[in-house]
Amino acid sequence: MAQPGSPLDALFGTPPGFSCASDRAEEPRRPQDGLPYIDDSPASSPHLSSKARGGRDAAEPSRASELDLEKGSEMRKWVLSGILASEETYLSHLEALLLPMKPLKAAATTSQPVLTSQQIETIFFKVPELYEIHKDFYDGLLPRVQQWSRQQRVGDLFQKLASQLGVYRAFVDNYEVAMETAEKCCQANAQFAEISENLRARSNKEAKDQTTKNSLETLLYKPVDRVTRSTLVLHDLLKHTPPSHPDHPLLQDALRISQNFLSSINEEITPRRQSMTVKKGEHRQLLKDSFMVELVEGARKLRHVFLFTDLLLCTKLKKQSGGKAQQYDCKWYIPLTDLSFQTVDESEAAPSIPLVLDEELDAMKVKISQIKSDIQREKRANKGSKAIERLRKKLSEQESLLLLMSPNMAFRVHSRNGKSYTFLISSDYERAEWRENIREQQKKCFKSFSLTSVELQMLTNSCVKLQTVHSIPLTINKEDDESPGLYGFLNVIVHSASGFKQSSSLYCTLEVDSFGYFVNKAKTRVYRDTAEPNWNEEFEIELEGSQTLRILCYEKCYHKTRLAKEDGGESTDRIVGKGQAQLDPQTLQDRDWQRTAIAMNGIEVKLSIKFTSRELSLKRMPSRKQTGVFGVRIAVVTKRERSKVPYIVRQCVEEIERRGMEEVGIYRVSGVATDIQALKAAFDVNNKDVSVMMSEMDVNAIAGTLKLYFRELPEPLFTDEFYPNFAEGIALSDPVAKESCMLNLLLSLPEANLLTFLFLLEHLKRVAEKETVNKMSLHNLATVFGPTLLRPSEKENKPPANPSQAISMTDSWSLEVMSQVQVLLYFLQLEAIPAPDSRRQSVLFSTEV
């Protein structure tokens, strides 16, 4: 490995973008390397285990064992490298706290002190000691990792660090007093308020001139946050430390100390931090809070909503200026005894939800990708922090706008006084969670009440201290060492579910997070009248910075009126269970199927999941066969069939136009993978019964087969030769020049490619004519088919050495995909495409193709 100037460059050079160990230690992924130690938990893949065992040469057990040890040692080094990166960030935060201490102490002895010595001691209590502890740990760990070998020991350093957790105990015990003192000092002294809002922390060790602005409140919370994650680091290190290694017992001891300390801290700080005293000595506790979008007179407004033990409070975050501390304005509150989800009175129509066009949302995503790409370019050029700060501000504005405009699922709450409020949520999972939490707490509330203006002001002010969600879920608000999430494709097989007490009609939906919010990605078929559904359906889900997979299980309700009244008129089906699984890059790195089970409310749903990075999943493979139709050049197929358009394209289009034109989400909703593979095999062997098979299959499987055919072409329909020209043509600003360029390029395609595209184009236009029913606009169809028809084969490109490289390419990748979508959308929106001669023109509307 190369050793550039910085001592940490050698450690962090592979893989780039390595995540912080304290944030679940997202370890680097290597596509070719199996894990040296197989986790025997139920979530582990039996197939992975057998592969790891079966792939070795039985005649060379010692060599295989040696290889495993070497890989294990490399994994330990990667984990430790991540810990060093995390420590470096943490030390910069502590340094930022220490920086104002010296001048404040000096001023305290003058006639015009900013703070008294006692106030300084209270606010910055134990911060110097924490800095010394972690500086000592970092200075001890760095040279050992730099001089890495399989026998290298680090356990004593972690054991020593764990033994000093008493300092954290003192810090946490003082934390609340420190925050209260800081808040009072900010209110009393404008100079300190300015200092507390503008503390600068270095972005990294090497970039001394690059700093990020932090508030005193944010930095003082870092040690609290650090201690609550302390055990995660040791878990990850132990996972890759063999039991025979001398470090193993030392790390186990450090983990035991940390776990005991963490348990005692959590028991004390959680209730203390989430409660406030109300009259009669009672305690009002915060149960849940979140940023949500409220619909107010047809306009979308960003709110911070707080659920307390006796009321629901909706607030607006005030704009901060001139060093002022964070503040909230109360918009409204409802005592839980007065709150219901029942439908609004028939005489009062529910407010209509202003929908945002998909084109507008995609345009926002393109801007976000472009700004992220610009930020990375500025960082590489080392142009200073001002340019980056401007770009980060733009990014924050665009991401905030996307979060505001994306949700369209209504969550309505109603008060006994007759007022109703509507929130917009993007996830049924979150809506159900809010409803369940409120209903559960309502069982403990018996009396209505009203708050005085003073009590309401006190409650609103307390939200700053009590909040658990400190910032809008934007990527701009993520720490540098947080995971950027996964980019690529996740295949999910929903096998079966058990634990139902009675038979009913059941189905599941899948959600993943993308751009800071969750979206519904797939839905199984309804399995009727059963307590043991066996769906066995596979879905392919695109991931865009995703970290979590959610699954919801529904009971199909055919008595819609009764259920609508129970659930506020927002759903016709009842959620019977919900659960989620973290998408851990380390676990999913092998691209093998991983079996898992998700428990939810006494129900268990069995899944298999497999992840493939974008580069690997979307890479076209050169044709290696001349038989069949999948993966064979389109000119070869049409010549063999003596047709203008391949038989598979005509058959699929014909079946979809016969019974799929009004199917909601046609071409967007995933078909069952086993059905698609069956159709693929039938077309490949020229099965005469393929039309009978198709008539008995779900129409989404037929749509999936057609998409798969175009995706597996060894060269895109628009060809590798012309693809760069199409990308340049669509970027032209002059509409006349653009039309001339795009049409000339299109008519230059090989005959089989052109005629097949024109045939498909007319079909897609007819699908879009039914948009009011099937919800598939021209833009939606272009989003589905653009990359499929235009993505080049990239024969010269090789997959990245490690998957984190793929993450660094995601923004430019997103821009390329959007260009492909725009090319197809351009042709879909053209009223007519002239042909250069009558021969081609006559084919356009000919049924004998």
Side-chain angles (χ1 to χ4, degrees), residues 573-748:
D573 299 328
R574 186 170 69 91
I575 295 177
V576 292
K578 57 183 175 56
Q580 59 185 17
Q582 295 303 308
L583 299 176
D584 177 25
Q586 183 61 44
T587 307
L588 296 173
Q589 70 168 347
D590 255 339
R591 292 187 292 130
D592 282 333
W593 285 102
Q594 309 280 328
R595 288 188 71 99
T596 187
I598 297 180
M600 46 175 86
N601 304 350
I603 300 164
E604 186 178 76
V605 178
K606 292 180 180 177
L607 306 172
S608 288
I609 57 177
K610 178 178 71 170
F611 170 71
T612 313
S613 68
R614 272 178 170 167
E615 285 69 24
L616 293 170
S617 65
L618 291 180
K619 188 175 178 64
R620 293 186 189 272
M621 302 305 294
S623 178
R624 292 191 177 91
K625 62 176 187 174
Q626 294 300 308
T627 59
V629 293
F630 281 84
V632 179
R633 292 184 177 277
I634 198 166
V636 173
V637 173
T638 52
K639 183 177 180 181
R640 186 201 309 142
E641 294 178 351
R642 297 181 182 178
S643 63
K644 302 294 184 183
V645 175
Y647 175 71
I648 181 175
V649 176
R650 287 180 282 134
Q651 281 292 99
C652 290
V653 166
E654 182 182 318
E655 189 65 23
I656 289 166
E657 295 204 352
R658 185 175 72 83
R659 60 188 178 94
M661 299 295 274
E662 296 187 354
E663 180 77 14
V664 175
I666 187 69
Y667 288 119
R668 179 178 56 79
V669 175
S670 300
V672 180
T674 48
D675 290 350
I676 293 172
Q677 292 302 317
L679 279 175
K680 176 184 177 181
F683 277 114
D684 264 343
V685 298
N686 196 22
N687 192 326
K688 301 297 182 184
D689 297 327
V690 70
S691 57
V692 177
M693 288 176 64
M694 291 173 72
S695 65
E696 296 173 351
M697 282 186 177
D698 177 63
V699 72
N700 289 311
I702 297 163
T705 304
L706 182 61
K707 288 189 295 180
L708 184 66
Y709 169 72
F710 286 116
R711 190 189 305 167
E712 292 196 356
L713 284 174
E715 184 181 48
L717 201 61
F718 279 58
T719 74
D720 289 329
E721 179 186 355
F722 288 110
Y723 172 70
N725 304 96
F726 279 110
E728 291 172 6
I730 199 63
L732 293 174
S733 53
D734 179 57
V736 177
K738 180 187 288 188
E739 182 174 347
S740 174
C741 175
M742 296 296 281
L743 288 176
N744 275 308
L745 284 170
L746 182 68
L747 297 172
S748 300

Side-chain angles (χ1 to χ4, degrees), residues 132-185:
E132 289 304 321
I133 287 170
H134 283 271
K135 185 71 168 63
D136 182 50
F137 173 73
Y138 178 86
D139 290 344
L141 185 60
L142 178 62
R144 298 195 194 186
V145 179
Q146 285 177 323
Q147 299 163 14
W148 188 252
S149 69
R150 194 190 304 168
Q151 290 76 33
Q152 185 65 275
R153 301 184 184 187
V154 295
D156 59 306
L157 296 175
F158 286 92
Q159 193 177 42
K160 181 181 177 183
L161 188 64
S163 70
Q164 296 171 310
L165 285 172
V167 180
Y168 273 99
R169 160 70 69 182
F171 181 89
V172 171
D173 287 344
N174 180 72
Y175 175 73
E176 193 170 343
V177 179
M179 293 304 300
E180 288 174 359
T181 305
E183 188 176 346
K184 288 176 183 175
C185 291

Side-chain angles (χ1 to χ4, degrees), residues 379-445:
K379 284 183 177 179
R380 287 193 296 270
N382 287 322
K383 290 190 176 179
S385 58
K386 286 187 177 179
I388 293 174
E389 278 301 316
R390 284 196 298 270
L391 287 169
R392 286 174 68 85
K393 186 178 179 182
K394 282 185 183 178
L395 180 59
S396 178
E397 290 169 357
Q398 283 298 320
E399 289 192 322
S400 298
L401 184 61
L402 181 61
L403 283 176
L404 191 66
M405 306 309 285
S406 298
N408 55 23
M409 190 180 292
F411 173 49
R412 298 185 176 96
V413 293
H414 314 285
S415 175
R416 190 179 292 174
N417 66 14
K419 291 186 178 179
S420 301
Y421 306 95
T422 301
F423 293 110
L424 300 180
I425 296 180
S426 62
S427 161
D428 209 8
Y429 189 103
E430 289 171 22
R431 182 169 68 176
E433 209 167 53
W434 274 97
R435 193 179 284 138
E436 287 169 11
N437 290 338
I438 290 172
R439 282 178 173 158
E440 186 63 32
Q441 193 59 29
Q442 282 179 321
K443 296 174 184 176
K444 306 170 187 176
C445 298

Side-chain angles (χ1 to χ4, degrees), residues 170 178 205 436-437 507 830:
K205 191 173 181 179
E436 287 169 11
N437 290 338
Y507 69 93
L830 280 181

